Amino acid sequence: MNPSGAKDAPGAAATQRRKQGVTEAAPVARRPRVPRAAAERLIEAETLKLLAKHPVDEVTNDVIAAATGLNHSYVSRYYGNRTNLLIRLTDVLADEIKAGVPEDAPVNLTMLIADPRFRLRNQLVLHLVARGVPAQRLYERGLLSRSEEHTSE
């Protein structure tokens, strides 16, 4: 209503604000939604790149979001939390390392230790165990099963 008590015409308030120099904010453009599989691949790949360059504690959800261009909520939506993402990355790294070794080949610890993916996986495992993740969970998809580990002693 205007000061005389009559109803303003539609859009009159916006006209009045423009006369006073107040401009309307442009509508915020929403990013298109990224399909889950594509978002997970992007999050995992970018997080691995970040972890190769930075300490684990510095790679936060916000840092991951900035690197991927996705909202930080994607990590929570698809992994539950950052810890689950890091656990998933230990599996990804183990799979990558295993893929490069013939199945019937003997374990070559010298080659494993020289592999940066192996070292990164070990850093993640140590970080996760130090924060209370049960070691059994990280053993499930490890590079060596318990029986293989005992036979190599």
Side-chain angles (χ1 to χ4, degrees), residues 61-128:
N61 286 357
D62 289 335
V63 171
I64 295 166
T68 61
L70 299 173
N71 188 299
H72 70 276
S73 67
Y74 274 78
V75 172
S76 298
R77 183 179 304 138
Y78 297 142
Y79 298 95
N81 57 42
R82 181 175 160 275
T83 298
N84 288 338
L85 169 59
L86 297 178
I87 291 170
R88 169 69 184 134
L89 292 176
T90 65
D91 295 343
V92 168
L93 290 166
D95 291 344
E96 285 181 10
I97 295 165
K98 285 179 185 178
V101 179
E103 201 170 302
D104 58 346
V107 175
N108 183 335
L109 291 177
T110 304
M111 287 183 66
L112 275 178
I113 292 168
D115 189 328
R117 297 170 301 184
F118 181 79
R119 290 193 307 270
L120 178 56
R121 184 177 186 281
N122 284 342
Q123 281 181 315
L124 289 175
V125 167
L126 291 172
H127 174 84
L128 291 165

Short mmCIF file of all heavy atoms in Angstrom, two decimals, residues 61-128:
data_model
loop_
_atom_site.label_atom_id
_atom_site.label_comp_id
_atom_site.label_asym_id
_atom_site.label_seq_id
_atom_site.Cartn_x
_atom_site.Cartn_y
_atom_site.Cartn_z
N ASN A 61 36.74 -31.11 2.63
CA ASN A 61 35.63 -31.12 1.66
C ASN A 61 35.59 -29.84 0.85
O ASN A 61 35.29 -29.86 -0.35
CB ASN A 61 34.30 -31.32 2.37
CG ASN A 61 34.10 -32.75 2.84
OD1 ASN A 61 34.94 -33.61 2.60
ND2 ASN A 61 33.00 -33.00 3.52
N ASP A 62 35.89 -28.70 1.48
CA ASP A 62 35.88 -27.43 0.75
C ASP A 62 37.00 -27.38 -0.29
O ASP A 62 36.81 -26.85 -1.39
CB ASP A 62 36.01 -26.25 1.72
CG ASP A 62 34.75 -26.06 2.55
OD1 ASP A 62 33.66 -26.47 2.09
OD2 ASP A 62 34.85 -25.50 3.65
N VAL A 63 38.16 -27.92 0.04
CA VAL A 63 39.28 -27.96 -0.92
C VAL A 63 38.92 -28.88 -2.08
O VAL A 63 39.17 -28.56 -3.25
CB VAL A 63 40.58 -28.43 -0.21
CG1 VAL A 63 41.69 -28.69 -1.21
CG2 VAL A 63 41.02 -27.39 0.82
N ILE A 64 38.31 -30.01 -1.77
CA ILE A 64 37.88 -30.95 -2.81
C ILE A 64 36.84 -30.28 -3.71
O ILE A 64 36.90 -30.39 -4.93
CB ILE A 64 37.33 -32.25 -2.19
CG1 ILE A 64 38.45 -33.00 -1.45
CG2 ILE A 64 36.70 -33.14 -3.25
CD1 ILE A 64 37.97 -34.11 -0.53
N ALA A 65 35.91 -29.58 -3.09
CA ALA A 65 34.86 -28.89 -3.86
C ALA A 65 35.47 -27.87 -4.81
O ALA A 65 35.07 -27.77 -5.97
CB ALA A 65 33.87 -28.22 -2.91
N ALA A 66 36.43 -27.10 -4.32
CA ALA A 66 37.08 -26.10 -5.17
C ALA A 66 37.81 -26.76 -6.34
O ALA A 66 37.77 -26.27 -7.47
CB ALA A 66 38.05 -25.25 -4.35
N ALA A 67 38.47 -27.88 -6.08
CA ALA A 67 39.22 -28.57 -7.14
C ALA A 67 38.31 -29.20 -8.18
O ALA A 67 38.66 -29.26 -9.36
CB ALA A 67 40.13 -29.63 -6.53
N THR A 68 37.14 -29.66 -7.75
CA THR A 68 36.23 -30.35 -8.68
C THR A 68 35.24 -29.41 -9.34
O THR A 68 34.68 -29.74 -10.38
CB THR A 68 35.41 -31.43 -7.95
OG1 THR A 68 34.63 -30.81 -6.93
CG2 THR A 68 36.30 -32.52 -7.38
N GLY A 69 35.01 -28.25 -8.71
CA GLY A 69 33.96 -27.36 -9.23
C GLY A 69 32.57 -27.80 -8.80
O GLY A 69 31.58 -27.27 -9.27
N LEU A 70 32.52 -28.78 -7.89
CA LEU A 70 31.24 -29.27 -7.37
C LEU A 70 30.98 -28.67 -6.00
O LEU A 70 31.90 -28.24 -5.32
CB LEU A 70 31.26 -30.80 -7.24
CG LEU A 70 31.49 -31.60 -8.52
CD1 LEU A 70 31.66 -33.07 -8.19
CD2 LEU A 70 30.34 -31.40 -9.50
N ASN A 71 29.74 -28.69 -5.58
CA ASN A 71 29.40 -28.25 -4.24
C ASN A 71 29.98 -29.23 -3.23
O ASN A 71 30.01 -30.44 -3.49
CB ASN A 71 27.87 -28.19 -4.11
CG ASN A 71 27.43 -27.56 -2.83
OD1 ASN A 71 27.72 -28.05 -1.75
ND2 ASN A 71 26.70 -26.46 -2.94
N HIS A 72 30.41 -28.73 -2.08
CA HIS A 72 31.01 -29.60 -1.06
C HIS A 72 30.05 -30.67 -0.55
O HIS A 72 30.47 -31.69 -0.01
CB HIS A 72 31.58 -28.79 0.11
CG HIS A 72 30.54 -28.15 0.96
ND1 HIS A 72 29.96 -26.95 0.64
CD2 HIS A 72 29.95 -28.57 2.08
CE1 HIS A 72 29.06 -26.65 1.55
NE2 HIS A 72 29.04 -27.62 2.45
N SER A 73 28.76 -30.47 -0.74
CA SER A 73 27.78 -31.45 -0.26
C SER A 73 27.83 -32.76 -1.06
O SER A 73 27.31 -33.78 -0.59
CB SER A 73 26.37 -30.87 -0.32
OG SER A 73 25.97 -30.67 -1.66
N TYR A 74 28.45 -32.76 -2.24
CA TYR A 74 28.55 -33.98 -3.02
C TYR A 74 29.31 -35.06 -2.26
O TYR A 74 28.98 -36.24 -2.36
CB TYR A 74 29.24 -33.74 -4.37
CG TYR A 74 28.31 -33.28 -5.46
CD1 TYR A 74 27.86 -31.97 -5.52
CD2 TYR A 74 27.89 -34.15 -6.46
CE1 TYR A 74 27.01 -31.54 -6.52
CE2 TYR A 74 27.05 -33.74 -7.47
CZ TYR A 74 26.61 -32.43 -7.50
OH TYR A 74 25.77 -32.01 -8.49
N VAL A 75 30.34 -34.69 -1.52
CA VAL A 75 31.10 -35.68 -0.76
C VAL A 75 30.19 -36.34 0.27
O VAL A 75 30.14 -37.57 0.38
CB VAL A 75 32.34 -35.06 -0.09
CG1 VAL A 75 33.01 -36.05 0.86
CG2 VAL A 75 33.34 -34.60 -1.14
N SER A 76 29.42 -35.54 0.99
CA SER A 76 28.50 -36.10 1.98
C SER A 76 27.41 -36.92 1.32
O SER A 76 27.04 -37.99 1.81
CB SER A 76 27.86 -34.97 2.79
OG SER A 76 28.85 -34.27 3.50
N ARG A 77 26.91 -36.43 0.22
CA ARG A 77 25.80 -37.12 -0.45
C ARG A 77 26.23 -38.50 -0.94
O ARG A 77 25.50 -39.47 -0.81
CB ARG A 77 25.32 -36.28 -1.64
CG ARG A 77 24.12 -36.87 -2.36
CD ARG A 77 23.65 -35.99 -3.51
NE ARG A 77 23.34 -34.66 -3.04
CZ ARG A 77 23.68 -33.54 -3.70
NH1 ARG A 77 24.34 -33.61 -4.83
NH2 ARG A 77 23.38 -32.36 -3.21
N TYR A 78 27.42 -38.60 -1.53
CA TYR A 78 27.82 -39.85 -2.17
C TYR A 78 28.69 -40.75 -1.29
O TYR A 78 28.77 -41.95 -1.53
CB TYR A 78 28.53 -39.57 -3.48
CG TYR A 78 27.63 -38.90 -4.49
CD1 TYR A 78 28.11 -37.92 -5.33
CD2 TYR A 78 26.28 -39.23 -4.59
CE1 TYR A 78 27.28 -37.31 -6.27
CE2 TYR A 78 25.45 -38.61 -5.50
CZ TYR A 78 25.95 -37.66 -6.34
OH TYR A 78 25.13 -37.05 -7.24
N TYR A 79 29.36 -40.20 -0.30
CA TYR A 79 30.26 -41.00 0.53
C TYR A 79 29.86 -41.02 2.00
O TYR A 79 30.41 -41.79 2.77
CB TYR A 79 31.70 -40.49 0.40
CG TYR A 79 32.21 -40.59 -1.01
CD1 TYR A 79 32.13 -39.51 -1.88
CD2 TYR A 79 32.75 -41.78 -1.49
CE1 TYR A 79 32.57 -39.61 -3.18
CE2 TYR A 79 33.20 -41.88 -2.80
CZ TYR A 79 33.11 -40.79 -3.64
OH TYR A 79 33.54 -40.89 -4.94
N GLY A 80 28.95 -40.17 2.39
CA GLY A 80 28.56 -40.08 3.79
C GLY A 80 29.40 -39.06 4.54
O GLY A 80 28.88 -38.21 5.23
N ASN A 81 30.72 -39.15 4.37
CA ASN A 81 31.64 -38.19 4.99
C ASN A 81 33.02 -38.33 4.35
O ASN A 81 33.25 -39.22 3.53
CB ASN A 81 31.70 -38.38 6.52
CG ASN A 81 32.10 -39.79 6.90
OD1 ASN A 81 32.99 -40.39 6.32
ND2 ASN A 81 31.43 -40.33 7.90
N ARG A 82 33.93 -37.47 4.74
CA ARG A 82 35.28 -37.47 4.17
C ARG A 82 36.03 -38.76 4.50
O ARG A 82 36.77 -39.28 3.67
CB ARG A 82 36.04 -36.24 4.69
CG ARG A 82 37.44 -36.11 4.17
CD ARG A 82 38.04 -34.79 4.67
NE ARG A 82 39.46 -34.80 4.61
CZ ARG A 82 40.27 -35.29 5.54
NH1 ARG A 82 39.78 -35.82 6.63
NH2 ARG A 82 41.58 -35.25 5.39
N THR A 83 35.82 -39.30 5.69
CA THR A 83 36.49 -40.55 6.07
C THR A 83 36.11 -41.67 5.12
O THR A 83 36.97 -42.43 4.67
CB THR A 83 36.14 -40.92 7.53
OG1 THR A 83 36.63 -39.89 8.38
CG2 THR A 83 36.76 -42.25 7.93
N ASN A 84 34.83 -41.79 4.80
CA ASN A 84 34.41 -42.83 3.85
C ASN A 84 35.00 -42.61 2.47
O ASN A 84 35.32 -43.58 1.78
CB ASN A 84 32.89 -42.90 3.78
CG ASN A 84 32.28 -43.51 5.03
OD1 ASN A 84 32.95 -44.23 5.77
ND2 ASN A 84 31.02 -43.21 5.27
N LEU A 85 35.15 -41.36 2.07
CA LEU A 85 35.82 -41.08 0.80
C LEU A 85 37.27 -41.57 0.85
O LEU A 85 37.75 -42.21 -0.07
CB LEU A 85 35.79 -39.58 0.48
CG LEU A 85 36.67 -39.11 -0.69
CD1 LEU A 85 36.29 -39.80 -1.99
CD2 LEU A 85 36.61 -37.60 -0.82
N LEU A 86 37.96 -41.29 1.94
CA LEU A 86 39.36 -41.72 2.06
C LEU A 86 39.46 -43.25 2.08
O LEU A 86 40.38 -43.82 1.48
CB LEU A 86 40.00 -41.11 3.31
CG LEU A 86 40.11 -39.58 3.32
CD1 LEU A 86 40.72 -39.10 4.63
CD2 LEU A 86 40.89 -39.06 2.12
N ILE A 87 38.52 -43.92 2.74
CA ILE A 87 38.49 -45.38 2.72
C ILE A 87 38.30 -45.88 1.29
O ILE A 87 38.98 -46.80 0.84
CB ILE A 87 37.39 -45.93 3.66
CG1 ILE A 87 37.76 -45.65 5.12
CG2 ILE A 87 37.17 -47.42 3.43
CD1 ILE A 87 36.63 -45.93 6.11
N ARG A 88 37.38 -45.25 0.59
CA ARG A 88 37.14 -45.62 -0.82
C ARG A 88 38.42 -45.45 -1.64
O ARG A 88 38.75 -46.27 -2.49
CB ARG A 88 36.00 -44.78 -1.39
CG ARG A 88 35.83 -44.86 -2.87
CD ARG A 88 35.32 -46.21 -3.34
NE ARG A 88 35.27 -46.21 -4.80
CZ ARG A 88 35.72 -47.19 -5.55
NH1 ARG A 88 36.21 -48.28 -5.01
NH2 ARG A 88 35.67 -47.11 -6.85
N LEU A 89 39.17 -44.39 -1.37
CA LEU A 89 40.40 -44.15 -2.12
C LEU A 89 41.46 -45.20 -1.83
O LEU A 89 42.26 -45.53 -2.72
CB LEU A 89 40.93 -42.74 -1.85
CG LEU A 89 40.05 -41.62 -2.40
CD1 LEU A 89 40.61 -40.26 -2.00
CD2 LEU A 89 39.86 -41.72 -3.90
N THR A 90 41.48 -45.76 -0.62
CA THR A 90 42.42 -46.86 -0.36
C THR A 90 42.08 -48.05 -1.24
O THR A 90 42.97 -48.73 -1.75
CB THR A 90 42.44 -47.29 1.13
OG1 THR A 90 41.19 -47.84 1.49
CG2 THR A 90 42.83 -46.15 2.04
N ASP A 91 40.77 -48.29 -1.46
CA ASP A 91 40.34 -49.37 -2.35
C ASP A 91 40.72 -49.08 -3.80
O ASP A 91 41.20 -49.95 -4.52
CB ASP A 91 38.83 -49.58 -2.24
CG ASP A 91 38.37 -50.06 -0.88
OD1 ASP A 91 39.22 -50.54 -0.09
OD2 ASP A 91 37.16 -49.94 -0.59
N VAL A 92 40.49 -47.84 -4.22
CA VAL A 92 40.82 -47.44 -5.59
C VAL A 92 42.31 -47.63 -5.85
O VAL A 92 42.72 -48.19 -6.88
CB VAL A 92 40.41 -45.97 -5.86
CG1 VAL A 92 41.00 -45.44 -7.15
CG2 VAL A 92 38.89 -45.83 -5.86
N LEU A 93 43.13 -47.17 -4.92
CA LEU A 93 44.58 -47.29 -5.09
C LEU A 93 45.01 -48.76 -5.11
O LEU A 93 45.85 -49.16 -5.92
CB LEU A 93 45.32 -46.52 -3.99
CG LEU A 93 45.22 -45.01 -4.09
CD1 LEU A 93 45.67 -44.35 -2.79
CD2 LEU A 93 46.04 -44.50 -5.27
N ALA A 94 44.44 -49.57 -4.22
CA ALA A 94 44.77 -51.00 -4.21
C ALA A 94 44.41 -51.65 -5.54
O ALA A 94 45.20 -52.42 -6.11
CB ALA A 94 44.05 -51.70 -3.06
N ASP A 95 43.23 -51.31 -6.07
CA ASP A 95 42.81 -51.86 -7.37
C ASP A 95 43.75 -51.43 -8.49
O ASP A 95 44.09 -52.23 -9.36
CB ASP A 95 41.38 -51.45 -7.69
CG ASP A 95 40.35 -52.11 -6.79
OD1 ASP A 95 40.69 -53.11 -6.11
OD2 ASP A 95 39.20 -51.62 -6.75
N GLU A 96 44.15 -50.16 -8.49
CA GLU A 96 45.07 -49.67 -9.53
C GLU A 96 46.42 -50.40 -9.46
O GLU A 96 46.98 -50.76 -10.49
CB GLU A 96 45.30 -48.17 -9.37
CG GLU A 96 44.16 -47.30 -9.82
CD GLU A 96 44.46 -45.83 -9.66
OE1 GLU A 96 45.62 -45.45 -9.38
OE2 GLU A 96 43.52 -45.03 -9.81
N ILE A 97 46.91 -50.57 -8.27
CA ILE A 97 48.20 -51.24 -8.10
C ILE A 97 48.10 -52.69 -8.53
O ILE A 97 48.95 -53.20 -9.27
CB ILE A 97 48.70 -51.11 -6.64
CG1 ILE A 97 48.98 -49.64 -6.31
CG2 ILE A 97 49.95 -51.95 -6.41
CD1 ILE A 97 49.11 -49.34 -4.83
N LYS A 98 47.03 -53.38 -8.10
CA LYS A 98 46.84 -54.78 -8.47
C LYS A 98 46.71 -54.94 -9.99
O LYS A 98 47.17 -55.93 -10.55
CB LYS A 98 45.60 -55.34 -7.80
CG LYS A 98 45.76 -55.63 -6.33
CD LYS A 98 44.44 -56.17 -5.78
CE LYS A 98 44.47 -56.37 -4.31
NZ LYS A 98 43.17 -56.84 -3.78
N ALA A 99 46.04 -53.98 -10.64
CA ALA A 99 45.83 -54.07 -12.08
C ALA A 99 47.13 -54.06 -12.86
O ALA A 99 47.22 -54.61 -13.96
CB ALA A 99 44.92 -52.93 -12.55
N GLY A 100 48.16 -53.44 -12.28
CA GLY A 100 49.44 -53.35 -12.97
C GLY A 100 50.37 -54.53 -12.73
O GLY A 100 51.47 -54.58 -13.26
N VAL A 101 49.91 -55.50 -11.93
CA VAL A 101 50.74 -56.66 -11.60
C VAL A 101 50.04 -57.92 -12.08
O VAL A 101 48.89 -58.15 -11.73
CB VAL A 101 50.98 -56.74 -10.07
CG1 VAL A 101 51.81 -57.96 -9.70
CG2 VAL A 101 51.63 -55.47 -9.56
N PRO A 102 50.73 -58.76 -12.89
CA PRO A 102 50.10 -60.01 -13.32
C PRO A 102 49.70 -60.85 -12.10
O PRO A 102 50.40 -60.88 -11.09
CB PRO A 102 51.20 -60.71 -14.12
CG PRO A 102 52.15 -59.62 -14.51
CD PRO A 102 52.06 -58.58 -13.45
N GLU A 103 48.56 -61.54 -12.23
CA GLU A 103 48.01 -62.27 -11.10
C GLU A 103 48.94 -63.35 -10.56
O GLU A 103 49.00 -63.59 -9.37
CB GLU A 103 46.66 -62.89 -11.50
CG GLU A 103 45.79 -63.21 -10.32
CD GLU A 103 44.39 -63.59 -10.77
OE1 GLU A 103 43.75 -62.77 -11.44
OE2 GLU A 103 43.97 -64.70 -10.42
N ASP A 104 49.68 -64.01 -11.44
CA ASP A 104 50.54 -65.11 -11.01
C ASP A 104 51.96 -64.64 -10.66
O ASP A 104 52.81 -65.46 -10.31
CB ASP A 104 50.59 -66.20 -12.07
CG ASP A 104 51.07 -65.68 -13.42
OD1 ASP A 104 51.11 -64.45 -13.60
OD2 ASP A 104 51.41 -66.50 -14.28
N ALA A 105 52.21 -63.34 -10.73
CA ALA A 105 53.56 -62.83 -10.44
C ALA A 105 53.80 -62.82 -8.94
O ALA A 105 52.89 -62.53 -8.16
CB ALA A 105 53.72 -61.42 -11.00
N PRO A 106 55.03 -63.11 -8.52
CA PRO A 106 55.33 -63.02 -7.08
C PRO A 106 55.31 -61.55 -6.64
O PRO A 106 55.52 -60.64 -7.44
CB PRO A 106 56.74 -63.61 -6.97
CG PRO A 106 57.31 -63.50 -8.34
CD PRO A 106 56.17 -63.54 -9.31
N VAL A 107 55.06 -61.35 -5.38
CA VAL A 107 55.02 -59.99 -4.84
C VAL A 107 56.45 -59.44 -4.82
O VAL A 107 57.35 -60.05 -4.26
CB VAL A 107 54.42 -59.98 -3.42
CG1 VAL A 107 54.49 -58.59 -2.81
CG2 VAL A 107 53.00 -60.49 -3.45
N ASN A 108 56.64 -58.29 -5.46
CA ASN A 108 57.94 -57.64 -5.47
C ASN A 108 57.83 -56.39 -4.60
O ASN A 108 57.36 -55.35 -5.04
CB ASN A 108 58.33 -57.28 -6.90
CG ASN A 108 59.70 -56.66 -7.00
OD1 ASN A 108 60.20 -56.09 -6.04
ND2 ASN A 108 60.32 -56.77 -8.17
N LEU A 109 58.27 -56.52 -3.36
CA LEU A 109 58.12 -55.42 -2.41
C LEU A 109 58.91 -54.18 -2.83
O LEU A 109 58.48 -53.06 -2.58
CB LEU A 109 58.53 -55.86 -1.01
CG LEU A 109 57.58 -56.86 -0.36
CD1 LEU A 109 58.11 -57.29 1.00
CD2 LEU A 109 56.18 -56.29 -0.23
N THR A 110 60.04 -54.37 -3.48
CA THR A 110 60.84 -53.23 -3.93
C THR A 110 60.04 -52.40 -4.93
O THR A 110 60.01 -51.16 -4.84
CB THR A 110 62.16 -53.70 -4.56
OG1 THR A 110 62.84 -54.51 -3.61
CG2 THR A 110 63.02 -52.52 -4.97
N MET A 111 59.37 -53.07 -5.85
CA MET A 111 58.55 -52.34 -6.83
C MET A 111 57.35 -51.68 -6.16
O MET A 111 56.98 -50.56 -6.51
CB MET A 111 58.11 -53.28 -7.95
CG MET A 111 59.25 -53.63 -8.90
SD MET A 111 58.71 -54.67 -10.26
CE MET A 111 57.62 -53.56 -11.13
N LEU A 112 56.74 -52.40 -5.22
CA LEU A 112 55.60 -51.82 -4.52
C LEU A 112 55.99 -50.55 -3.77
O LEU A 112 55.31 -49.53 -3.85
CB LEU A 112 55.02 -52.82 -3.52
CG LEU A 112 54.02 -53.83 -4.04
CD1 LEU A 112 53.59 -54.77 -2.92
CD2 LEU A 112 52.82 -53.16 -4.66
N ILE A 113 57.07 -50.62 -3.04
CA ILE A 113 57.51 -49.47 -2.24
C ILE A 113 57.86 -48.29 -3.12
O ILE A 113 57.66 -47.14 -2.75
CB ILE A 113 58.68 -49.88 -1.32
CG1 ILE A 113 58.16 -50.85 -0.27
CG2 ILE A 113 59.32 -48.67 -0.66
CD1 ILE A 113 59.24 -51.56 0.52
N ALA A 114 58.35 -48.56 -4.33
CA ALA A 114 58.71 -47.47 -5.25
C ALA A 114 57.48 -46.84 -5.92
O ALA A 114 57.58 -45.75 -6.47
CB ALA A 114 59.66 -48.01 -6.33
N ASP A 115 56.35 -47.50 -5.86
CA ASP A 115 55.14 -47.01 -6.51
C ASP A 115 54.52 -45.90 -5.66
O ASP A 115 54.15 -46.12 -4.51
CB ASP A 115 54.15 -48.17 -6.68
CG ASP A 115 52.96 -47.81 -7.53
OD1 ASP A 115 52.53 -46.63 -7.53
OD2 ASP A 115 52.44 -48.71 -8.21
N PRO A 116 54.36 -44.68 -6.21
CA PRO A 116 53.79 -43.58 -5.42
C PRO A 116 52.35 -43.87 -4.97
O PRO A 116 51.93 -43.39 -3.92
CB PRO A 116 53.84 -42.37 -6.36
CG PRO A 116 54.19 -42.89 -7.69
CD PRO A 116 54.75 -44.25 -7.55
N ARG A 117 51.61 -44.67 -5.72
CA ARG A 117 50.25 -45.03 -5.30
C ARG A 117 50.28 -45.89 -4.04
O ARG A 117 49.44 -45.76 -3.17
CB ARG A 117 49.51 -45.76 -6.42
CG ARG A 117 49.31 -44.90 -7.67
CD ARG A 117 48.81 -45.72 -8.80
NE ARG A 117 49.80 -46.77 -9.07
CZ ARG A 117 49.72 -47.64 -10.06
NH1 ARG A 117 48.71 -47.61 -10.89
NH2 ARG A 117 50.65 -48.55 -10.25
N PHE A 118 51.27 -46.76 -3.94
CA PHE A 118 51.43 -47.61 -2.76
C PHE A 118 51.75 -46.74 -1.54
O PHE A 118 51.18 -46.92 -0.47
CB PHE A 118 52.54 -48.64 -3.01
CG PHE A 118 52.78 -49.58 -1.87
CD1 PHE A 118 51.94 -50.66 -1.65
CD2 PHE A 118 53.84 -49.39 -1.01
CE1 PHE A 118 52.16 -51.55 -0.61
CE2 PHE A 118 54.08 -50.27 0.04
CZ PHE A 118 53.23 -51.35 0.25
N ARG A 119 52.66 -45.79 -1.71
CA ARG A 119 53.02 -44.91 -0.60
C ARG A 119 51.83 -44.05 -0.18
O ARG A 119 51.57 -43.87 1.01
CB ARG A 119 54.23 -44.04 -0.99
CG ARG A 119 55.52 -44.84 -1.10
CD ARG A 119 56.75 -43.97 -1.16
NE ARG A 119 56.71 -42.94 -2.19
CZ ARG A 119 57.16 -43.10 -3.44
NH1 ARG A 119 57.69 -44.23 -3.82
NH2 ARG A 119 57.10 -42.11 -4.29
N LEU A 120 51.07 -43.54 -1.14
CA LEU A 120 49.89 -42.74 -0.82
C LEU A 120 48.85 -43.58 -0.09
O LEU A 120 48.26 -43.15 0.90
CB LEU A 120 49.29 -42.12 -2.09
CG LEU A 120 48.02 -41.30 -1.90
CD1 LEU A 120 48.22 -40.18 -0.89
CD2 LEU A 120 47.56 -40.74 -3.24
N ARG A 121 48.65 -44.80 -0.56
CA ARG A 121 47.69 -45.69 0.11
C ARG A 121 48.12 -45.93 1.56
O ARG A 121 47.30 -45.90 2.47
CB ARG A 121 47.55 -47.00 -0.62
CG ARG A 121 46.48 -47.88 0.01
CD ARG A 121 46.27 -49.18 -0.75
NE ARG A 121 45.14 -49.88 -0.18
CZ ARG A 121 45.19 -50.61 0.95
NH1 ARG A 121 46.32 -50.72 1.62
NH2 ARG A 121 44.12 -51.21 1.41
N ASN A 122 49.40 -46.17 1.77
CA ASN A 122 49.89 -46.39 3.13
C ASN A 122 49.68 -45.15 4.01
O ASN A 122 49.32 -45.27 5.17
CB ASN A 122 51.35 -46.81 3.13
CG ASN A 122 51.51 -48.25 2.71
OD1 ASN A 122 50.56 -49.03 2.74
ND2 ASN A 122 52.70 -48.62 2.29
N GLN A 123 49.89 -43.97 3.44
CA GLN A 123 49.63 -42.73 4.20
C GLN A 123 48.16 -42.65 4.61
O GLN A 123 47.84 -42.28 5.73
CB GLN A 123 49.97 -41.50 3.35
CG GLN A 123 51.42 -41.17 3.25
CD GLN A 123 51.61 -39.92 2.40
OE1 GLN A 123 50.99 -39.78 1.34
NE2 GLN A 123 52.45 -39.02 2.87
N LEU A 124 47.29 -42.98 3.66
CA LEU A 124 45.85 -42.93 3.96
C LEU A 124 45.48 -43.95 5.03
O LEU A 124 44.72 -43.64 5.95
CB LEU A 124 45.03 -43.19 2.70
CG LEU A 124 45.03 -42.07 1.66
CD1 LEU A 124 44.28 -42.50 0.41
CD2 LEU A 124 44.43 -40.81 2.24
N VAL A 125 46.03 -45.16 4.92
CA VAL A 125 45.74 -46.20 5.91
C VAL A 125 46.19 -45.74 7.30
O VAL A 125 45.44 -45.84 8.28
CB VAL A 125 46.39 -47.54 5.52
CG1 VAL A 125 46.37 -48.53 6.68
CG2 VAL A 125 45.70 -48.13 4.30
N LEU A 126 47.40 -45.22 7.40
CA LEU A 126 47.90 -44.74 8.69
C LEU A 126 47.03 -43.61 9.24
O LEU A 126 46.71 -43.57 10.43
CB LEU A 126 49.35 -44.28 8.57
CG LEU A 126 50.37 -45.39 8.33
CD1 LEU A 126 51.75 -44.79 8.03
CD2 LEU A 126 50.43 -46.33 9.52
N HIS A 127 46.64 -42.69 8.38
CA HIS A 127 45.78 -41.57 8.78
C HIS A 127 44.45 -42.10 9.31
O HIS A 127 43.97 -41.66 10.37
CB HIS A 127 45.56 -40.64 7.57
CG HIS A 127 44.58 -39.56 7.82
ND1 HIS A 127 44.93 -38.37 8.43
CD2 HIS A 127 43.25 -39.48 7.57
CE1 HIS A 127 43.85 -37.60 8.53
NE2 HIS A 127 42.83 -38.24 8.01
N LEU A 128 43.86 -43.03 8.59
CA LEU A 128 42.54 -43.54 8.97
C LEU A 128 42.59 -44.36 10.26
O LEU A 128 41.72 -44.20 11.12
CB LEU A 128 41.96 -44.38 7.81
CG LEU A 128 41.58 -43.56 6.58
CD1 LEU A 128 41.38 -44.47 5.38
CD2 LEU A 128 40.35 -42.70 6.84
#
